[in-house]
């Protein structure tokens, strides 16, 4: 798929420009709400790392696809309700949206029962937007500490800068909080700003529309037949 090839080459250029090794940044192809033919086209081109923002949608899409195609690595990038945590722990290799102590406790308990845990990123609401998930920046240190104490494999921090603002100060704030907590993972950068995110140290970029094309927000989520 052309979109994927273009983004891969822009990503390699962005890495090279700032002296980072080619392919050192993980490209998460955000497949939420995309039609299956586009997802299959991207699979055909070898992409195996995908991001989804809803647990149920991800389950219905990827449970069958995974039987067909090996090596799929799923990342949850949308807010996680506690009552969906069990399904999330079973489905996703990485959860980018740990944002509160109670969710950390639930994830830790489920991981213990299962004998395996997804890797987690703590989501920080760097823009302090009321409508957005993520812990406030001043609570991030405590949440990282608590999550580690519970035994969760915390690998980094994630943010979604406010729409229409320069994302760079947000990327820098995230990097600063990660640095003082000894975290190397930075999940930041989307279709419109992933190159800037790479320049600021992103280790994981989450790119949807620039790979797959615009999402059809008017379409019903999934046809259920009948
Ligand atoms: C949808 C989404 C993305 C991808 O957005 P694009 O602008 O389509 O690249 C990235 N991160 C999160 C958290 C998202 O919800």
């Amino acid at each position: 798929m052309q979109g994927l090839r273009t983004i891969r080459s822009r990503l390699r250029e962005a890495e090279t420009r700032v002296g980072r090794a080619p392919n050192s940044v993980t490209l998460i192809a955000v497949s939420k709400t995309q039609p299956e033919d586009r997802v299959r086209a991207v699979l055909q081109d070898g992409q195996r790392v995908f991001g989804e923002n809803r647990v149920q949608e991800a389950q219905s899409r990827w449970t069958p696809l995974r039987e067909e195609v090996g090596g799929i690595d799923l990342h949850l990038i949308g807010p996680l309700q506690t009552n969906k945590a069990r399904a999330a722990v079973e489905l996703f290799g990485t959860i980018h949206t740990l944002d509160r102590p109670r969710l950390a406790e639930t994830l830790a308990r489920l991981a213990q029962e299962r004998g395996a845990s997804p890797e987690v990123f703590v989501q920080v609401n760097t823009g302090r937007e009321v409508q957005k998930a993520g812990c406030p920046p001043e609570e991030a240190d405590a949440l990282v500490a608590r999550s580690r104490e519970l035994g969760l494999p915390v690998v980094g921090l994630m943010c979604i800068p406010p729409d229409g603002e320069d994302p760079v100060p947000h990327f820098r704030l995230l990097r600063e909080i990660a640095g003082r907590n000894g975290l190397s993972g930075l999940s930041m950068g989307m279709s419109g700003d992933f190159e800037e995110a790479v320049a600021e140290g992103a280790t994981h970029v989450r790119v949807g529309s620039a790979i797959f094309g615009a999402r059809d927000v008017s379409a019903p989520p999934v046809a259920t037949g009948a």
Side-chain angles (χ1 to χ4, degrees):
M1 189 195 244
Q2 188 53 46
L4 178 65
R5 285 192 282 272
T6 304
I7 294 305
R8 279 180 175 162
S9 81
R10 280 173 57 189
L11 183 56
R12 274 194 299 271
E13 282 164 27
E15 290 166 329
T16 309
R17 261 197 306 277
V18 293
R20 301 181 56 187
N23 304 314
S24 57
V25 175
T26 300
L27 174 60
I28 302 171
V30 177
S31 49
K32 64 182 185 196
T33 76
Q34 295 288 352
E36 177 155 329
D37 59 323
R38 294 190 195 163
V39 175
R40 284 185 180 276
V42 162
L43 284 166
Q44 199 81 47
D45 280 344
Q47 179 70 25
R48 291 294 179 270
V49 185
F50 290 89
E52 290 282 351
N53 68 337
R54 287 168 188 268
V55 176
Q56 266 152 352
E57 187 188 330
Q59 244 176 348
S60 51
R61 159 165 285 160
W62 289 103
T63 306
L65 265 180
R66 262 185 165 164
E67 309 242 309
E68 266 181 65
V69 184
I72 303 286
D73 178 14
L74 294 181
H75 292 242
L76 178 66
I77 61 170
L80 179 56
Q81 291 167 269
T82 309
N83 64 359
K84 305 238 172 79
R86 180 180 298 275
V89 162
E90 286 165 8
L91 189 65
F92 293 98
T94 309
I95 292 175
H96 290 240
T97 49
L98 171 56
D99 63 355
R100 55 198 191 277
R102 178 150 148 61
L103 180 58
E105 285 156 20
T106 303
L107 291 175
R109 178 173 49 76
L110 293 168
Q112 193 135 38
E113 279 175 31
R114 222 173 160 252
S117 177
E119 296 195 323
V120 300
F121 285 80
V122 167
Q123 182 179 356
V124 183
N125 187 355
T126 58
R128 300 168 191 280
E129 294 173 280
V130 287
Q131 78 281 14
K132 216 166 251 177
C135 75
E138 66 278 6
E139 289 171 24
D141 295 355
L143 182 53
V144 169
R146 177 68 182 135
S147 305
R148 283 175 163 158
E149 193 179 277
L150 289 163
L152 287 174
V154 184
V155 298
L157 303 180
M158 179 272 220
C159 75
I160 309 170
D163 277 341
E165 259 185 49
D166 179 3
V168 170
H170 297 274
F171 296 155
R172 290 191 178 155
L173 174 59
L174 198 71
R175 188 178 63 194
E176 179 196 314
I177 300 171
R180 70 173 180 244
N181 284 284
L183 290 168
S184 56
L186 289 171
S187 168
M188 56 191 201
M190 314 189 353
S191 289
D193 57 18
F194 71 91
E195 285 140 322
E196 286 151 291
V198 168
E200 298 302 330
T203 59
H204 294 66
V205 294
R206 312 176 307 263
V207 181
S209 44
I211 292 176
F212 293 101
R215 284 179 288 276
D216 182 359
V217 291
S218 67
V222 179
T224 49

